[in-house]
Each structure stands twice: as structure tokens, then as C-alpha cells.
Amino acid sequence: MTEAQHFDVLVIGSGAAGLTLALQLADKARIALLSKSTLQAGSTWLAQGGIAAVLDPQDDCESHIHDTWVAGAYLSRPPAIEHTIRNGPDAIRWLIDQGVPFTRDEQGYHLTREGGHTHRRIIHAADATGRAVHETLIRNALAHPNITIFEHHIAIDLITRRKLGLKHNRCIGAYVLNHQTGHVIAFKAPTVVLATGGASKAYLYTSNNDGTTGDGIAMAWRAGCRVANMEFNQFHPTCLYHPKAKSFLITEAVRGEGGVLRLPDGTRFMHKFDSREELAPRDIVARAIDHEMKRIGCDCVYLDISHRPADFIKEHFPTIYERCLGFGIDITREPIPVVPAAHYTCGGVVTDQQGCTDIPGLYAIGETAFTGLHGANRLASNSLLECVVYGRSAATHILAQSLDALDRADCRLPDWDESQVTDSDEDVIISHNWDELRRFMWDYVGIVRTSKRLERAMHRIHLLKQEIAEYYSNYKISRDLIELRNLATVAELIITCAMQRKESRGLHFTQDFPAQAAESADTIITPTNFSWPDSIREADIAEAPINV
């Protein structure tokens, strides 16, 4: 095994959340930032619409808070909403100071509106906001001498003192595979931050890239952290339907600027499902599309903005216009074929408002974390906001600790043991299991669920996990195997949470319990190796984790 690396803070993930935190800490700490592919490969780069924040004098935080509460089907946690939205304007100003080129008009920064919002509050960079934010943060991180970036490095598992048989549990690092060299490296750090994104790759159809395999959620669960609300998988209503258009999203801002949904015969249908029509929250729009596709047996529906002026479309949606044109679709003249696709994980690792998890020294931010902000359904464009706000909050909390004092030198990280494994000549097993998992998750744990489908899915995941565990024990590690193992873990967490929720709320709709319960409650599941931190009594703790 390659000699261990030592840093003050290990950041696992290179999207908006991880980069924000790294840049906030870099003047005072040595940061290792891991990207399991290239820096540009994450979900942040793909985000189109924008970032929701109160920036217009006609808008106010109370309205944004209310919109988030309603979109979340009244399950969002008020402290998380308050924290995120009231810190939103400062987060946007920080991004502007970093150099993000948000779109401007004669009044200042242009604000658009998306489904579920009662005001125009989405600041954006044309229709490629994520890319503009990501490019800016990457450029600044690369320029900072205290940030060391490791591309093509994927974390395998977290290292805790308890795992090493030591007292005073704390996360002290992670085993990491350099999948270009095949070497496993131990990264030691008194503070570890999970910013690995969501788990939408658990589904056959997704708007996300190939890397959203729930790595941080799975690692935290195995290490002993609680996980919550994994049943709430947001399916984006409008992913481009074309055989060559892999995972290309049509931003919700198209509907915000007047785009309408039509059946293949040109008939509009959203009025039958919600008075807000195309501007209803995503869970409602996705279920409506799914219902109509199944009702008439069509492969897709159509999103039409061709009634707007061509110059307007090209100016506001240049990326979508060019990409669709490349597939022979001129969106200034014809509608766009679209289907729902898995898009966002509203649940995750349980944290508090500083990103602290149940394990001292371990933080989770961004889509990896369950803060309580999104409730049963994420309000459009609150995701990038959450990344920046919680990246900054976690950094503030980390800086309040004494990193030098936390860097205990009394434990050596053991080498990664590969003495009992061999090279695999059966990689087809990985690809087959990956495909099977994603297909039964789509069929049984998708937009519309039943108890019987969930039971079938759980039966299949148990068999798959046995096969994966056997494979993991006998063959050398690889990126594909790590991701498959993590996908199986998060799939089981999704199914477990879905089976426990005996109601339909937000993104979780089951035909066996179609009504929404009178009282709302989070679905919090606890691993068998969970324990409260030293000197903390369970009676002192509410549902949120301990701020240590």
C-alpha cells in the first residue's frame, strides 16, 4: 500500500459543497480534496436552472421559507429552512465575490422563476449555472497552495478509532483507491467531510452522471451514522428523450418561462392534476407525466416553448438549444420530447446545521446530507443553495475547533490488506448486478410504488448484497466494485425507508396508502453499530445529531 497521506481536513467530493468548504478553510488548514473522476464530472457541473435566494426587494425570506415548506409536503424541518434561506443572500454574494458570472440585465442580476416558487428568485448563469459555479470554484481551488486535489481517487471506507479498537470514537481518515494506478492509500485527517452527492444512479433512468452512486451515504452508514428519508427520491419531470442523449436534463426554468407540457397529439394535460399546471412542484409534475404515459401507452410527452420568440429562447437557453439542435430538434419551432428521470436524493446522512454527523470529526454536506431542508420534496434550485450555505457553515464549525489538538498521533492507520484476494476474471458479474439493481429499483421503487413491489425489491437486494459481499471478499478492489457495493447499500436504505412510510407524501407515492397522514414524521433508520458519542446520554439528544 502507498504510504499514508496526512492533512488537516479530508474532503471527499469535488462539487459545489466540497469546493465551498475547502475554499473557506484553505487559509488556515491543509486540505486534501478527492474527486473520483475529473473535477468537472460531478452533478454540480450539470446543474442548469440556477440558485434560489431572496435577492429582489419585492421578495422576502418568509415567502421563500413558506414555498420550501409547501413544496416539502410539510415535512421540512423549520430550523433547516430558516438557516438555509436566511443565509442565502450572503452565500450568493460570496459566489459573486468568487467571480461566478451570473446573468445580468438592465435592472441588475436577472432572476427567473421555477415550479413551486411564488416569486422570481432564481439567480442563474444562462442555462448552465452549475457549470459557471463549478468552473469558478475549481479555478480558485487550483490556485490555492493549501488545497491539494486528487483526481481519480475514490474513497472505499471511513476509518474510525472504534474500528481500530480504540476508545473515544472519532473519524480519523479513509482508505482511498487511486483507480488509475490500482493502489490503495490511507488518508489520515482529524476532520473528514463527505460531499459525494446523491444516489440517483440506483435507478435505470437518471439525469445524473455515472458517479452519483451514494458513496458518502453508504460509507457513513457502514461507519455507524444514522440515515433519514431515503424514500424521497426526486424524479425530474423533464429529461430529454432521445436514444443518443444520455442523461441530458431540460431545466425547470423552461417551464418557468412559459413552456407547456403536451401529449403526443398536442393536448395539454397538467390542468387535470394541479391548478398551478406546469409550475406545480416536481413530484406532482413527474407523477402526472408518468400517469399520462402509462394511460395512453406513449414513450414520452413533449415540452413546448416554441411559442416564445426564437431570440428569447436562444438567449435564455443556449445550452439546451444547441444540444437539442444536435439531435435534430429545433426548440424554437417544435416541442422537446421528455420523460421523468431520477434526479435528486432528498434524504441522506443525518446532520445538524453545521454539517456534524453522529461520529465526531465526520461532517456531511450537500446532497449527501439530510439536514431536513427538503422534506418530502426538494423545491427547485434550493440544492445549490444548500451546498454553499452548509459548506460555509461546516467550515465555520471546523475552524472553531483546534485542528492541532484534534490531530492525535497515538494511532497509526493500518495498511490496506490485499493478501487474501486475487485479480478477478469475472467482471461480467459486476456489470450484470449493476444492471439488475438499477432495473428492479426503477420497476419496483420508482415514481409509483406498492407494498408488494417493495417486498420484491427487498428480496432481490438481499440476494444481490450476498453476491457482492462474496465478490468483495475474494477479489481486488476496483472503482466498479466500490460503486456497486455502495449502490446496493443505498438501494437497501431506500427500500427500508419506503417500506416504513405508510402514507403517500411528496415524492413517496404508494397505491396501498394513497392518503397523506395527518401528522408528519421523518423516517430515521439506525445502523446496528450506532452509538452515542462519549459522555453524551441518549436522553439529551433529539433527532438531530450531536454538535461536537
Side-chain angles (χ1 to χ4, degrees):
M1 188 178 86
T2 304
E3 187 175 349
Q5 299 270 359
H6 292 250
F7 290 88
D8 296 320
V9 180
L10 171 62
V11 182
I12 305 175
S14 58
L19 286 165
T20 295
L21 178 135
L23 287 166
Q24 292 278 321
L25 293 175
D27 287 344
K28 297 184 179 180
R30 295 175 299 110
I31 312 296
L33 188 139
L34 307 186
S35 177
K36 71 175 180 178
S37 185
T38 63
L39 286 172
Q40 296 83 3
S43 294
T44 296
W45 189 271
L46 299 177
Q48 295 177 355
I51 309 175
V54 177
L55 304 170
D56 188 329
Q58 303 302 315
D59 195 6
D60 56 65
C61 288
E62 284 66 30
S63 176
H64 192 178
I65 289 168
H66 180 263
D67 291 346
T68 301
W69 176 250
V70 172
Y74 312 104
L75 188 62
S76 301
R77 292 186 173 184
I81 305 177
E82 290 268 349
H83 177 76
T84 305
I85 288 164
R86 296 198 184 280
N87 284 286
D90 282 343
I92 298 301
R93 283 189 282 270
W94 180 79
L95 288 174
I96 292 171
D97 291 341
Q98 292 293 306
V100 177
F102 291 115
T103 298
R104 301 181 70 101
D105 58 19
E106 57 274 11
Q107 279 81 41
Y109 289 105
H110 181 265
L111 302 177
T112 189
R113 182 182 172 191
E114 295 183 350
H117 290 275
T118 53
H119 290 79
R120 284 182 170 267
R121 62 169 68 102
I122 315 300
I123 190 170
H124 61 100
D127 62 346
T129 306
R131 177 169 179 166
V133 170
H134 209 179
E135 282 182 330
T136 303
L137 298 184
I138 288 171
R139 180 175 64 251
N140 295 346
L142 288 170
H144 203 292
N146 272 0
I147 299 176
T148 305
I149 294 173
F150 296 85
E151 291 185 299
H152 306 289
H153 283 65
I154 179 171
I156 304 168
D157 266 319
L158 299 171
I159 305 171
T160 62
R161 289 177 60 83
R162 182 172 61 191
K163 190 173 183 178
L164 300 182
L166 302 172
K167 295 181 179 180
H168 310 299
N169 192 36
R170 183 177 187 87
C171 188
I172 55 175
Y175 288 114
V176 177
L177 171 70
N178 178 338
H179 55 84
Q180 289 189 320
T181 66
H183 295 308
V184 175
I185 310 163
F187 279 77
K188 184 178 180 183
T191 300
V192 179
V193 182
L194 297 171
T196 57
S200 289
K201 203 64 181 180
Y203 288 92
L204 183 61
Y205 302 110
T206 174
S207 64
N208 292 190
N209 66 11
D210 290 339
T212 51
T213 49
D215 303 331
I217 299 170
M219 286 189 292
W221 173 259
R222 289 194 294 266
C225 290
R226 290 171 296 162
V227 169
N229 285 11
M230 290 295 291
E231 71 270 36
F232 297 120
N233 310 98
Q234 187 174 78
F235 289 81
H236 197 286
T238 54
C239 196
L240 179 61
Y241 180 75
H242 190 281
K244 296 182 180 179
K246 182 181 179 181
S247 305
F248 184 70
L249 185 104
I250 306 298
T251 174
E252 189 159 348
V254 172
R255 285 179 282 132
E257 295 295 345
V260 297
L261 289 163
R262 302 184 186 277
L263 297 176
D265 64 1
T267 305
R268 293 183 64 181
F269 58 88
M270 276 307 304
H271 62 280
K272 297 189 298 182
F273 298 91
D274 195 281
S275 60
R276 291 165 290 186
E277 300 182 340
E278 279 78 10
L279 289 178
R282 290 177 176 178
D283 58 325
I284 295 172
V285 179
R287 268 201 310 277
I289 294 173
D290 182 71
H291 178 274
E292 291 298 294
M293 287 173 59
K294 290 176 178 175
R295 182 179 67 84
I296 65 175
C298 61
D299 294 326
C300 65
V301 297
Y302 293 85
L303 179 58
D304 188 6
I305 197 172
S306 62
H307 53 280
R308 298 299 303 268
D311 289 343
F312 174 90
I313 295 171
K314 293 176 184 179
E315 178 185 355
H316 283 77
F317 308 111
T319 305
I320 295 173
Y321 172 75
E322 293 293 339
R323 179 64 69 90
C324 288
L325 200 61
F327 295 121
I329 304 166
D330 183 350
I331 68 173
T332 67
R333 298 174 177 270
E334 57 189 316
I336 309 166
V338 294
V339 292
H343 182 60
Y344 191 87
T345 305
C346 289
V349 183
V350 176
T351 71
D352 64 10
Q353 305 314 309
Q354 287 73 46
C356 300
T357 71
D358 293 319
I359 299 176
L362 180 65
Y363 295 74
I365 54 176
E367 195 175 351
T368 304
F370 165 76
T371 63
L373 170 65
H374 304 302
N377 177 42
R378 175 177 69 93
L379 180 64
S381 290
N382 269 356
S383 50
L384 284 176
L385 180 67
E386 181 186 36
C387 288
V388 180
V389 168
Y390 279 87
R392 284 159 57 87
S393 296
T396 299
H397 188 266
I398 291 168
L399 288 173
Q401 318 304 305
S402 174
L403 293 173
D404 292 335
L406 293 174
D407 189 11
R408 297 184 176 94
D410 60 343
C411 62
R412 176 187 175 277
L413 302 188
D415 291 342
W416 180 259
D417 183 10
E418 289 186 334
S419 61
Q420 304 299 314
V421 297
T422 61
D423 289 321
S424 171
D425 58 358
E426 294 290 342
D427 288 346
V428 66
I429 295 174
I430 295 178
S431 60
H432 175 81
N433 286 353
W434 181 296
D435 183 67
E436 182 181 353
L437 183 151
R438 296 177 66 216
R439 285 185 181 277
F440 74 65
M441 286 295 290
W442 182 264
D443 290 339
Y444 298 152
V445 201
I447 296 173
V448 177
R449 302 162 179 175
T450 67
S451 297
K452 182 173 290 186
R453 291 175 192 170
L454 294 175
E455 290 170 1
R456 287 174 177 170
M458 185 62 84
H459 176 68
R460 287 303 308 139
I461 200 64
H462 285 164
L463 294 176
L464 272 180
K465 286 191 71 178
Q466 292 175 14
E467 294 180 15
I468 294 166
E470 180 181 358
Y471 196 96
Y472 183 83
S473 300
N474 291 294
Y475 296 109
K476 287 186 177 180
I477 205 77
S478 68
R479 172 175 170 171
D480 287 345
L481 180 55
I482 295 168
E483 291 182 327
L484 176 63
R485 178 176 178 238
N486 290 336
L487 274 178
T489 298
V490 296
E492 184 177 35
L493 294 173
I494 292 168
I495 299 165
T496 300
C497 287
M499 293 179 77
Q500 289 187 18
R501 186 165 292 279
K502 306 299 184 183
E503 64 163 346
S504 290
R505 183 184 296 271
L507 300 164
H508 174 75
F509 183 83
T510 169
Q511 292 179 345
D512 294 303
F513 303 96
Q516 181 172 293
E519 296 185 4
S520 63
D522 294 317
T523 308
I524 299 177
I525 53 177
T526 304
T528 55
N529 59 342
F530 171 82
S531 64
W532 300 105
D534 300 328
S535 74
I536 300 292
R537 296 182 302 109
E538 182 172 349
D540 296 331
I541 308 301
E543 290 182 339
I546 307 90
N547 188 337
V548 291

